[in-house]
Amino acid sequence: MYKLTGVTKEYQKGRGVVGALQGVDLTIADGEWLAVRGRTGHGKSTLLNLLGGLDRATGGTVELDGTDLGALRETQLTRLRAQSIGFIFQTFNLIPTLSAAENVESALIPLRVSQADRKARTAAALESVGLADRAAHLPAELSGGQQQRVAIARALVKEPKVLLADEPTGNLDEDTRDDIIGLLEHLWRDRGLTLILVTHDTSIARRAQRTGVMTNGQLTIRQESPNR
Amino acid sequence: MFFITYLRRELRRRMRQAVFIALGLALGVGLVVTVAAASAGVNKAQSGVLSALYGVGTDITVTGNAPPPHYSSAGSTQPAKATPPPSKNGQTLQISPGGGAQICDNGHCVNAAGHTYDRLVPPYQEPISASTVAAVARLHDVAAAAGVLTLVDSAITYPATSAGSPQLATFTVDGVGTGHTPVGPLAAATISSGHFFTPADSHADVAVVDSGYAASNNLKIGSTITIKQVRFTVIGIVTQPQDTSPPDVYIPLARAQTLATATKNLGGSVANTVNLIYVAAASAADIPAVQHEISRRLPSDIVTAAGSLARQVTGSVSSAAKLTSDLGKWVSVLVLIAAFAMASLLTMAAVARRAAEFGTLKALGWPTRRIIAQVLGESLAIGIAGAAAGVGLGYAGAAIIAAVAPSLSATAPSSTIGSMQQVVQAGGTALGNRTVVVPLSPSITIGVIVLAVILAMAGGLLAGALGSWRIARLRPAGALTLVA
């Protein structure tokens, strides 16, 4: 699935250059669940952005199914994101003016799916996260956990190969966190997804097949969990 | 449709800002509509003025040039230095050796007491041969031509006794052709009662009178009016378009030529002459060529086209035209620029606030052009709302102008006005400037409404385009980092 070779990412900061990633080598297999831990500012989100084609590496290569993402044009990367990659964000990032169903439906807009098909798939996705009865609610009318479930439904409605989750439980209480992680784990198993999850939480990281730790832009794979 | 749903919800969320932008655009557009309406009203007023001064359907007029001054001119406070010489073929008014007035007719003089001295004279202009009218009518690209002899009848009635002073009564007379022509002083007139002249009336003592003159002198069909001691029977009463200043009486051209007397230095006779030719060109595009050709053939006469007359019109209508075309235009442009700038800045600010949203959409795989289309759609909707409100404001502005604006006046120099009525002063005929008062009626045309819609939509699209430029530059990772 993913093969990262000597990946570096540098940002210009004032007159200086900050190295967010420093020679990351990583291989992620199809259907694998990888958790990435690390302290704030050590490159976790940067790694996730490169994996999701949201940003480009300064050096090295990021390959997805043999395709070098750095060599793709912006439109090709956009297409790739629309078809193959689902994102879940810490702050949910739902469109505040759209209902839960319309937020989920928005992920199908770039795929040019017919309206009837969009409605059906949206309903199924909301059903799969247990929010069929909240379809018409605006994000502001939902709890944090429900909003994150909507975001998960939005990420999965297009049936992606990869699910990238950036601190998906960072804004949730402990009980809700467990619900969401349980849901993600269920969906990962059920759908054969490749799940890459960035988290601060060691207990969540332990549930992944492998855990990597980002320290000063360098990734170390430390653990292989029983899920493997 | 997802596009519409998203657009509607977003505008509802930003209702206050959307209304603010729409009102800004509406203000600019409303001002443009108001100025355009006022400008159209002024143009209409100018057209009314030109029609009044010039004659409906007339493209060009030809008038005789004024010869070197011999008598006092209009407005002069100096008495005439020369006394009209005795005439062998008409009445003259002379001072008797005893100092009293006497009326002489063909050399026979009587004391003026108890008598009326009646003069029917053309303005102080070189006459134009009647055959010239036919020559002009035959010119290429001339649709019609009509010759007119404009005259002023002035009658001084002396009291029978030395008690009391002489009474002066004047009215204007146009000698006109009795056949139907599409141009001329009667071309735009409507008959109130009776009928127009017929070709059989060419040598008859019949008259058509203006409705205003008929009302003030209690004239009806069958009444008689005396012109140069000849009684004319009224056969028609006509009404001219509003804002025009028609002559009081129309008589057959041949009778006018027979009765009128020109001053000596104009030859003393107006037989077979006219002093004004109305010309209609075959099309508006032909007017310059026709004017040029007539000027070439009649170098000593004054050939005036409506356009050149318009340039010589002065007065408040001219000031209003300058006001709307200069100040109004620039104020509108400045307000529009301000409205566009405000709409653009607010839209860019809104895009900046929605960076997270657009970053998320990009992460979901929305192409940049699809997001831009969404933002442009929102801006366009605001622009359309601004256009609708702007047209409403424009109508309100036009209504206010119509309610409070004073009537406009226009003054044109007499030398350019063929149909102008003459001012008669004792002892001679003089010409003066002519002033016409017209109401200002702003009018909003379909073209102005279309312009308003286009402007408002352009403002909305400009704002949307600037916002889109920001979106196009937005990298998804950067936008999501901003959120974080």
Side-chain angles (χ1 to χ4, degrees):
Chain A
M1 161 97 2
Y2 275 112
K3 185 178 181 188
L4 280 68
T5 310
V7 174
T8 61
K9 178 66 184 176
E10 293 174 347
Y11 293 107
Q12 196 76 31
K13 191 169 185 180
R15 290 185 177 179
V17 175
V18 175
L21 295 181
Q22 296 181 25
V24 173
D25 295 309
L26 175 66
T27 302
I28 304 169
D30 274 347
E32 185 180 356
W33 178 1
L34 171 71
V36 180
R37 289 197 299 115
R39 290 162 59 190
T40 302
H42 280 243
K44 304 187 298 295
S45 294
T46 301
L47 177 64
L48 212 61
N49 286 341
L50 294 180
L51 292 172
L54 296 174
D55 210 347
R56 292 176 187 273
T58 309
T61 56
V62 179
E63 291 178 25
L64 174 60
D65 290 336
T67 303
D68 181 2
L69 300 188
L72 295 180
R73 293 197 306 271
E74 200 58 44
T75 51
Q76 292 172 310
L77 272 179
T78 300
R79 188 82 190 149
L80 181 75
R81 287 198 299 270
Q83 289 175 330
S84 305
I85 302 172
F87 289 93
I88 302 170
F89 306 98
Q90 179 179 352
T91 48
F92 323 133
N93 289 22
L94 299 178
I95 310 293
T97 52
L98 300 180
S99 68
E102 288 157 354
N103 264 288
V104 174
E105 190 183 348
S106 69
L108 297 175
I109 295 299
L111 298 180
R112 300 180 186 279
V113 177
S114 72
Q115 189 173 357
D117 198 16
R118 285 206 309 264
K119 299 290 179 196
R121 287 170 68 172
T122 296
L126 283 172
E127 176 77 39
S128 70
V129 297
L131 283 180
D133 58 338
R134 295 284 191 271
H137 287 238
L138 291 174
E141 298 166 343
L142 301 173
S143 68
Q146 287 172 328
Q147 287 187 52
Q148 194 60 296
R149 281 170 184 266
V150 174
I152 292 169
R154 180 178 65 183
L156 296 178
V157 71
K158 59 189 174 188
E159 297 169 358
K161 294 179 188 171
V162 183
L163 185 58
L164 303 175
D166 190 0
E167 305 271 13
T169 58
N171 278 12
L172 303 175
D173 60 57
E174 204 166 306
D175 289 341
T176 311
R177 177 198 68 183
D178 292 341
D179 285 348
I180 293 296
I181 292 301
L183 175 65
L184 282 175
E185 186 169 359
H186 166 74
L187 292 169
W188 166 66
R189 285 188 189 284
D190 198 42
R191 303 188 179 208
L193 291 166
T194 301
L195 175 60
I196 299 157
L197 185 147
V198 166
T199 182
H200 282 107
D201 195 325
T202 312
S203 65
I204 293 173
R206 280 201 200 101
R207 296 171 74 163
Q209 288 175 305
R210 283 197 298 164
T211 301
V213 178
M214 289 294 300
T215 309
N216 292 325
Q218 293 182 324
L219 180 68
T220 311
I221 302 294
R222 288 192 174 173
Q223 175 198 349
E224 292 195 0
S225 79
N227 263 331
R228 184 106 180 137
Chain B
M1 192 178 171
F2 193 85
F3 177 83
I4 300 293
T5 304
Y6 191 6
L7 186 152
R8 196 162 42 84
R9 298 274 181 81
E10 187 54 38
L11 288 182
R12 193 182 298 169
R13 178 174 72 144
R14 293 190 293 125
M15 179 67 84
R16 259 191 298 183
Q17 191 192 51
V19 168
F20 190 68
I21 294 173
L23 280 180
L25 290 173
L27 190 66
V29 167
L31 198 60
V32 169
V33 171
T34 303
V35 169
S39 180
V42 170
N43 288 339
K44 194 175 158 192
Q46 281 184 315
S47 298
V49 166
L50 290 177
S51 293
L53 298 176
Y54 212 68
V56 173
T58 304
D59 298 316
I60 297 166
T61 59
V62 183
T63 52
N65 216 338
H70 186 69
Y71 299 114
S72 63
S73 60
S76 170
T77 56
Q78 299 298 317
K81 289 183 178 175
T83 303
S87 171
K88 294 288 184 189
N89 58 356
Q91 285 187 332
T92 57
L93 186 65
Q94 296 183 15
I95 306 299
S96 67
Q102 59 180 12
I103 298 170
C104 300
D105 195 349
N106 291 322
H108 174 66
C109 298
V110 296
N111 190 308
H115 290 84
T116 298
Y117 169 65
D118 196 347
R119 293 185 77 221
L120 181 65
V121 293
Y124 196 58
Q125 291 168 279
E126 293 284 359
I128 303 170
S129 167
S131 61
T132 304
V133 180
V136 169
R138 284 194 299 272
L139 289 177
H140 189 56
D141 295 328
V142 169
V148 177
L149 186 58
T150 64
L151 303 164
V152 177
D153 186 288
S154 51
I156 306 172
T157 302
Y158 287 85
T161 63
S162 57
S165 55
Q167 298 295 312
L168 172 66
T170 65
F171 57 93
T172 52
V173 179
D174 270 13
V176 299
T178 52
H180 172 74
T181 55
V183 289
L186 286 171
T190 53
I191 196 91
S192 304
S193 61
H195 58 84
F196 286 116
F197 297 116
T198 64
D201 295 326
S202 60
H203 289 85
D205 293 335
V206 291
V208 171
V209 296
D210 183 71
S211 56
Y213 184 76
S216 60
N217 290 276
N218 201 25
L219 295 174
K220 297 184 176 66
I221 301 301
S223 300
T224 58
I225 52 174
T226 302
I227 302 172
K228 193 75 180 296
Q229 298 169 306
V230 176
R231 292 162 73 87
F232 282 75
T233 303
V234 176
I235 61 166
I237 296 174
V238 293
T239 304
Q240 292 282 11
Q242 201 178 4
D243 308 328
T244 60
S245 298
D248 299 317
V249 179
Y250 306 86
I251 61 174
L253 178 59
R255 296 297 292 133
Q257 290 168 334
T258 302
L259 293 174
T261 310
T263 51
K264 189 184 178 188
N265 67 333
L266 290 179
S269 171
V270 294
N272 293 318
T273 68
V274 296
N275 51 20
L276 168 63
I277 304 175
Y278 290 86
V279 182
S283 72
D286 297 325
I287 294 172
V290 171
Q291 184 185 14
H292 177 75
E293 181 61 18
I294 296 174
S295 298
R296 194 180 65 78
R297 291 180 180 233
L298 306 172
S300 62
D301 294 320
I302 299 169
V303 182
T304 312
S308 54
L309 177 58
R311 284 192 292 276
Q312 296 180 54
V313 169
T314 59
S316 60
V317 70
S318 178
S319 304
K322 285 190 179 74
L323 196 69
T324 53
S325 68
D326 297 340
L327 181 64
K329 184 173 70 182
W330 287 112
V331 167
S332 301
V333 167
L334 286 176
V335 171
L336 264 184
I337 289 173
F340 282 15
M342 181 197 71
S344 301
L345 287 173
L346 288 176
T347 303
M348 287 181 76
V351 166
R353 278 198 300 275
R354 295 168 70 189
E357 185 177 323
F358 298 138
T360 303
L361 291 174
K362 286 194 171 190
L364 293 179
W366 279 45
T368 299
R369 65 174 182 280
R370 180 71 172 74
I371 302 171
I372 286 174
Q374 197 71 42
V375 171
L376 282 178
E378 292 167 13
S379 299
L380 197 59
I382 292 173
I384 290 170
V391 170
L393 283 178
Y395 268 103
I400 290 169
I401 288 177
V404 303
S407 292
L408 301 174
S409 65
T411 304
S414 61
S415 61
T416 59
I417 308 168
S419 61
M420 171 189 160
Q421 304 311 307
Q422 314 305 330
V423 178
V424 177
Q425 296 180 336
T429 302
L431 302 175
N433 287 348
R434 164 114 182 264
T435 297
V436 175
V437 176
V438 287
L440 174 58
S441 307
S443 61
I444 295 173
T445 61
I446 291 289
V448 169
I449 292 173
V450 169
L451 174 70
V453 172
I454 289 173
L455 280 176
M457 286 168 56
L461 284 175
L462 176 68
L466 288 170
S468 302
W469 172 72
R470 281 191 85 138
I471 293 167
R473 294 184 52 187
L474 200 64
R475 292 194 60 80
L480 293 168
T481 305
L482 283 175
V483 183

